[in-house]
Amino acid sequence: MTSYEPSDEAGAGPVYDAVVLAGGGARRLGGADKPGVRVGGRALLDRVLAACADARTTVVVADARPTARPVRWAREEPPGGGPVAALGAGLRHTTAEQVVVLSADLPFLEAATVRRLLTALRTSDADGALLTDAEDRDQPLVAAYRTAALHRELAALAAAEPADRRDASAAPTPAGLVGLPLRRLTAGLHLTRVSDPVAAFDCDTWDDIATARARIREHGHVLDEWISAAKDELGIDLDVDTGVLLDLARDAAHGVARPAAPLTTFLVGYAAAQAGGGPEAVAEAARKAAALALRWEQEAAADAKPDTDAG
């Protein structure tokens, strides 16, 4: 296998589909509904779906449930047939030449990581690009693959099983794929690696869940996490410069009065919506409000100066 170190480039990537495996038994969580467990107020599955939101088609292999964005649902037969069988079931609904394969328990996965995986795949001759975790272990369920390579290996695995293990009644999932570990699939692929221990962190135990919940409340993460959760909850798909809004809130609080900060940011949002929405409308409304707050502060400062010409 070759190695690939991620860069900060965030250019537009190729068209791709996504398959998210969300139907496992979560035995180490006592059988809890792991995709529905909330971290930072958002279900783990919704957090993963946000990271691959620009996929042309997103297939979730699990029983259908409410999600923050529309997806296509699939299920391996029989249910609980393992990750290889689930991947085979999801892959039948994809058409793009490249597919991102994800588990549904990745609290820190971001769109930038998905783009890096796709870039690593696109710029190499590999069959797939996968993440490695903090202990340098391969994570084949945080990866981008060439769809044709996956079809090739899945067909080979299905055909390699003894005839007495094949059961046509189990269609559409070939019986030869049921219960197989992922390493049987990846063993036949030429893979490259992308190192990203944070994005590769998955939640297998309640201790992992507690660690994830604690991390997003750290000073360096909590604001971004809160904004992402609020946008999901409100159905808002808008990227804005949060630094501009924070500066505005600070200026309003300092130059006018503390309650002016939340009220002003609300008015900025309302004005931006009236102007048609979008990052540019938010930035323009914030610029005007910040200039107004600055004028208030300057007036207050001027009024506080002693009259040096008096007497």
Side-chain angles (χ1 to χ4, degrees):
M1 293 186 182
T2 57
S3 296
Y4 173 85
E5 290 299 323
S7 69
D8 292 329
E9 294 181 0
V15 172
Y16 73 98
D17 292 333
V19 175
V20 181
L21 307 188
R27 287 184 294 272
R28 295 171 70 183
L29 290 178
D33 175 27
K34 181 162 68 169
V37 172
R38 296 185 179 275
V39 173
R42 290 191 291 165
L44 283 171
L45 176 57
D46 284 335
R47 298 177 73 91
V48 172
L49 292 178
C52 60
D54 59 346
R56 185 171 64 184
T57 299
T58 299
V59 184
V60 179
V61 186
D63 293 331
R65 66 171 68 220
T67 52
R69 69 180 183 88
V71 299
R72 178 174 293 182
W73 297 95
R75 200 68 166 111
E76 76 277 18
E77 290 292 342
V84 176
L87 177 56
L91 205 61
R92 283 193 298 274
H93 299 279
T94 65
T95 56
E97 294 182 357
Q98 297 162 356
V99 59
V100 170
V101 178
L102 305 168
S103 61
D105 61 351
L106 303 164
F108 305 128
L109 183 68
E110 297 182 349
T113 303
V114 172
R115 287 194 296 267
R116 287 196 290 267
L117 286 168
L118 289 164
T119 298
L121 178 63
R122 182 181 54 185
T123 57
S124 73
D125 61 354
D127 296 320
L130 50 76
L131 286 195
T132 55
D133 63 15
E135 298 178 6
D136 205 32
R137 294 174 299 192
D138 289 347
Q139 299 297 314
L141 292 184
V142 200
Y145 297 98
R146 300 190 193 278
T147 308
L150 288 182
H151 280 300
R152 180 193 72 217
E153 292 305 311
L154 288 169
L157 288 174
E161 288 301 310
D164 59 2
R165 284 199 55 189
R166 300 177 198 161
D167 179 6
S169 66
T173 301
L177 303 182
V178 174
L180 291 184
L182 275 169
R183 63 178 178 273
R184 290 282 300 277
L185 176 67
T186 57
L189 298 173
H190 171 48
L191 301 173
T192 187
R193 295 182 174 97
V194 175
S195 177
D196 194 334
V198 174
F201 180 87
D202 57 2
C203 293
D204 290 328
T205 67
W206 287 113
D207 284 344
D208 294 336
I209 296 291
T211 297
R213 286 172 171 169
R215 184 180 185 276
I216 66 171
R217 287 174 169 79
E218 293 174 358
H219 176 70
H221 308 286
V222 65
L223 187 58
D224 287 340
E225 289 286 348
W226 166 251
I227 290 172
S228 296
K231 288 196 297 185
D232 273 2
E233 191 72 15
L234 298 172
I236 299 171
D237 184 15
L238 176 67
D239 290 326
V240 297
D241 188 343
T242 55
V244 169
L245 295 179
L246 288 174
D247 288 344
L248 167 61
R250 180 201 62 211
D251 293 343
H254 179 71
V256 184
R258 189 172 297 275
L263 292 172
T264 305
T265 51
F266 164 77
L267 292 173
V268 163
Y270 186 84
Q274 291 289 92
E280 296 81 5
V282 174
E284 177 62 13
R287 183 193 64 78
K288 291 179 178 179
L292 175 62
L294 180 60
R295 293 197 299 270
W296 274 63
E297 182 179 7
Q298 291 171 338
E299 289 178 11
D303 289 345
K305 290 180 179 179
D307 187 352
T308 55
D309 294 333

